[in-house]
Amino acid sequence: MRIIPVLDLKGGQVVRAEGGERARYRPIGTPLSSDAAPVSVARGLRTLLPFPAFYIADLDAIEKGAPDEEALESLQRMPDAPELWLDAGFAEEASLAAALARPGLRPVLGSESQDDTALIARFRDHPGLILSLDFFADGFRGPEALLSDIALWPSTVIVMTLAQVGSGAGPDFARLRKIKARAGGRAVIAAGGVRNEEDLRRLAECGIAGALMATALHGGALTPAQLARLSAL
């Protein structure tokens, strides 16, 4: 069970996600850091466990703004630099190819950012590529073929349930089981609503390879000892 902390970036700061309603996101307040600077929050999270990877949602880039290159570079300069799983609204071949070539970076192709399946068809066999299947309150967002045609899926697939992000409602186990049953040997990663050790153990029993987490880590729902045990599952 791989636990990947989430850093949602907006305006150069880490923000607290609430149900996918990005206009409501505000700079995070957390006992793990004295401020909302990306490196400060990442360092605080690493006091719980020396996480080797972080998921970065560059919300400004996803909303077609400028990518936060300064934040990425500062995170990559950290001691024992973490691998960064980056969703920056990739929708063009040149930017995705550049991200795939960048050391220490795994670009996340979000379904919500795609107009068609051209990019995923071009790069699906690249071992560094991650696909995020994005589900909002009104359902799946993106080309329907990205959800229905599993031949398009790369080796790692995130099931992102935005409506449950930050809600404490628990993962969408039914959806995760269905997608895992279709995914074959691909690594399926849960995102949205993961609350505690029990949720993570249930995900492991479903064959889920990992989970993206933020709220439960900042809220103290998982101790360092629990995280160490879960990472060994």
Side-chain angles (χ1 to χ4, degrees):
M1 174 52 59
R2 191 172 187 188
I3 299 168
I4 303 104
V6 174
L7 300 176
D8 289 296
L9 305 184
K10 188 175 184 180
Q13 295 184 300
V14 178
V15 295
R16 184 177 293 278
E18 295 182 35
E21 298 181 27
R22 291 168 182 152
R24 296 173 51 192
Y25 292 8
R26 296 293 181 269
I28 196 168
T30 171
L32 301 177
S33 174
S34 60
D35 59 59
V39 168
S40 299
V41 177
R43 285 174 180 155
L45 286 162
R46 276 186 159 183
T47 64
L48 302 176
L49 193 76
F51 296 108
F54 287 87
Y55 174 92
I56 311 297
D58 186 335
L59 300 174
D60 293 323
I62 291 171
E63 298 293 337
K64 309 306 180 186
D68 195 337
E69 189 63 31
E70 182 179 347
L72 294 181
E73 290 179 357
S74 66
L75 290 165
Q76 290 192 309
R77 289 194 300 267
M78 291 177 66
D80 297 319
E83 180 178 76
L84 302 180
W85 294 17
L86 175 66
D87 185 348
F90 295 107
E92 298 177 354
E93 181 171 337
S95 60
L96 182 58
L100 286 166
R102 184 168 174 171
L105 194 69
R106 293 191 68 184
V108 176
L109 199 65
S111 66
E112 68 163 310
S113 300
Q114 308 310 303
D115 293 325
D116 53 40
T117 61
L119 269 187
I120 194 73
R122 167 74 175 81
F123 292 100
R124 64 188 168 191
D125 293 328
H126 195 293
L129 184 65
I130 300 169
L131 171 65
S132 179
L133 299 173
D134 299 328
F135 296 87
F136 285 71
D138 57 356
F140 179 70
R141 193 166 296 179
E144 184 59 33
L146 278 178
L147 182 60
S148 62
D149 186 357
I150 63 170
L152 292 170
W153 295 0
S155 60
T156 303
V157 178
I158 295 170
V159 181
M160 179 72 72
T161 309
L162 273 300
Q164 289 173 245
V165 169
S167 69
D172 189 338
F173 287 103
R175 176 175 287 143
L176 286 160
R177 289 191 188 96
K178 289 178 181 177
I179 291 177
K180 175 58 184 173
R182 299 172 58 216
R186 298 172 180 85
V188 175
I189 309 295
V194 181
R195 299 165 293 189
N196 49 35
E197 181 173 1
E198 181 181 354
D199 282 346
L200 288 164
R201 290 190 177 277
R202 285 184 63 190
L203 289 171
E205 290 168 2
C206 295
I208 302 303
L212 306 185
M213 299 184 66
T215 302
L217 297 177
H218 293 290
L222 289 160
T223 66
Q226 287 176 305
L227 288 165
R229 286 198 301 270
L230 290 162
S231 295
L233 288 178

